[in-house]
Amino acid sequence: MLLHRYFIPIVLSVIVSPSRATTKEGSTIDEPENVDLLEDVKNLKQAMKGWGTNEKTIIDILTHRSYNNRLRIGTLYQETYSESLWEDIKSETSGDFRTALKALVLTEARFFAEEMRNAMRGWGTNEDTLLLCLMLTVNDHLTVQGIKDYYESIYNRDLEDDIQDETGTPFKEFLVEVLNRPKFNESAELDEEAVTADLSDMQEFIDDEKVLDIVYLVTSRSLSHLAMLQEKYYQSEGSELIETLDEISDHHVRDGLISFMSVATDFYRYCADELHNAMDGHGTEEGIITRIIATRADKDLATIKEMYYEMFDETLSKAVQDDTSGDYEKTLVSLIN
């Protein structure tokens, strides 16, 4: 039973979903006014020149520049030195610190494309990585398309084909359907009759344990539609739909369905819960921490960290400090604060 990882209580009429659009209030990036990006480029080059690396300079610059300015820095670096900023950083850093910086200097789509490829490279597949990458971009049609495009251009491979080859039924169907979801207008008025019809179908699929039919239904609906479906299910059955899905499905597809329905209800709570579980108990899942903190810092990490405190009575920065160390810790804490 993994329900404790994903259970999110239904709050009527409250639907919080992710978006690529950024609000200043949601970002934790504290960028100085009138930044000189060319000066940033020179300082970054100097930090990696000669013997040794000035990690503090790299962290101070990259964690205090917006997403667009970080990409502009990469372009200026290439134009100035005819070298790749990421390749220079890669040669001067290592481990989780390197991965965190990678998430900051590459486009989000390319970062996730490389994360997904690494999850399927070699012996075995990291299904949790595939799932998280898609959940963090589930309502961001442009980024998902960018992931597919980068995956093909970098590796000369098709992402959908690799998912089908590296994962099993019914989880592969779930991932492919999420990957290929159409663009939804989440602010459109909901069709309550359509939701009621889906409720009837869902109840039938659950009774017959038709997991693939459930996959096809939920992945072809908007997040706001699914949030209302969960409300109606609770009103009808007196229990949470997520709890029922936990009982009738297993392993990876269970995690996928529960994650997806959780994102539909409250994306920020989903992220906070993922972060907590990545640092709870023995060991730390640095990949989860990096993917969420580094890619959401420009968007809504301020809201996620507030949710984290509300849920666990501990600040996110304190939790990260307790479970990470060195330059990796400094990078994460700088992004959070």
Side-chain angles (χ1 to χ4, degrees):
M1 293 281 287
L2 297 179
L3 187 57
H4 68 282
R5 292 194 58 186
Y6 301 102
F7 175 67
I8 297 177
I10 297 296
V11 180
L12 295 182
S13 301
V14 176
I15 301 168
V16 186
S17 59
S19 171
R20 184 67 188 92
T22 303
T23 60
K24 187 175 181 181
E25 291 78 10
S27 171
T28 55
I29 301 295
D30 184 18
E31 183 174 75
E33 294 184 5
N34 303 316
V35 293
D36 186 338
L37 299 185
L38 189 56
E39 187 67 19
D40 286 344
V41 167
K42 294 176 182 178
N43 289 334
L44 285 168
K45 184 63 175 176
Q46 187 64 35
M48 296 182 283
K49 188 176 180 180
W51 184 260
T53 303
N54 187 336
E55 291 86 358
K56 183 179 185 302
T57 295
I58 297 174
I59 294 170
D60 286 347
I61 292 174
L62 295 181
T63 62
H64 292 93
R65 301 296 181 269
S66 68
Y67 176 79
N68 289 334
N69 276 341
R70 293 196 305 269
L71 296 185
R72 181 61 180 152
I73 287 170
T75 300
L76 289 171
Y77 194 97
Q78 181 71 45
E79 293 174 351
T80 303
Y81 301 110
S82 298
E83 296 173 359
S84 163
L85 173 59
W86 164 233
E87 290 299 326
D88 281 358
I89 287 175
K90 185 164 65 172
S91 68
E92 296 290 331
T93 59
S94 61
D96 297 312
F97 177 48
R98 175 196 286 171
T99 304
L101 296 180
K102 176 183 180 180
L104 295 177
V105 300
L106 297 184
T107 64
E108 182 180 337
R110 179 178 169 184
F111 173 70
F112 280 128
E114 295 194 12
E115 289 292 283
M116 295 183 78
R117 178 61 192 146
N118 290 336
M120 295 184 282
R121 194 192 300 274
W123 182 260
T125 299
N126 188 328
E127 290 86 357
D128 290 342
T129 294
L130 299 177
L131 177 60
L132 182 60
C133 289
L134 290 181
M135 292 301 99
L136 291 176
T137 57
V138 73
N139 216 28
D140 186 352
H141 194 260
L142 287 177
T143 297
V144 173
Q145 185 58 52
I147 292 171
K148 297 178 188 178
D149 293 342
Y150 272 113
Y151 197 93
E152 183 175 5
S153 63
I154 295 171
Y155 305 111
N156 194 30
R157 305 173 69 95
D158 182 81
L159 177 56
E160 181 177 331
D161 288 346
D162 279 357
I163 287 173
Q164 291 179 329
D165 289 343
E166 296 292 333
T167 59
T169 297
F171 187 56
K172 69 179 179 182
E173 285 82 2
F174 170 81
L175 293 177
V176 168
E177 291 300 311
V178 173
L179 182 69
N180 294 325
R181 287 177 81 236
K183 184 177 182 179
F184 290 99
N185 179 5
E186 295 293 347
S187 61
E189 184 177 354
L190 290 173
D191 183 342
E192 192 164 351
E193 289 186 2
V195 178
T196 301
D198 280 351
L199 173 63
S200 177
D201 288 340
M202 178 67 76
Q203 290 167 324
E204 178 185 337
F205 297 156
I206 288 171
D207 289 341
D208 296 337
E209 297 191 4
K210 294 181 177 179
V211 176
L212 266 178
D213 288 330
I214 295 173
V215 165
Y216 293 134
L217 189 156
V218 303
T219 56
S220 60
R221 303 295 189 267
S222 70
L223 299 182
S224 52
H225 181 104
L226 293 177
M228 180 178 282
L229 175 62
Q230 292 183 80
E231 292 178 8
K232 286 187 173 295
Y233 186 90
Y234 182 80
Q235 293 165 359
S236 172
E237 302 295 323
S239 59
E240 303 290 353
L241 177 56
I242 285 177
E243 293 178 323
T244 304
L245 293 176
D246 181 71
E247 294 170 357
I248 68 163
S249 55
D250 58 16
H251 206 28
H252 300 304
V253 73
R254 172 190 58 201
D255 294 348
L257 287 169
I258 293 175
S259 293
F260 194 67
M261 300 303 278
S262 299
V263 165
T265 305
D266 192 328
F267 176 73
Y268 307 127
R269 184 178 289 268
Y270 165 79
C271 288
D273 198 43
E274 285 294 305
L275 286 167
H276 181 260
N277 283 291
M279 296 180 282
D280 191 32
H282 297 293
T284 303
E285 296 183 63
E286 291 85 358
I288 293 174
I289 300 170
T290 299
R291 292 178 202 111
I292 295 176
I293 291 177
T295 67
R296 307 309 302 186
D298 286 88
K299 305 175 186 179
D300 46 28
L301 186 57
T303 306
I304 292 169
K305 72 177 185 179
E306 289 175 3
M307 179 65 72
Y308 191 95
Y309 184 79
E310 178 183 318
M311 293 173 67
F312 305 110
D313 197 27
E314 180 183 35
T315 66
L316 179 57
S317 59
K318 174 64 164 55
V320 167
Q321 287 172 321
D322 288 345
D323 269 69
T324 61
S325 61
D327 293 317
Y328 177 57
E329 173 199 336
K330 293 173 185 176
T331 302
L332 296 177
V333 171
S334 184
L335 289 171
I336 294 168
N337 295 332

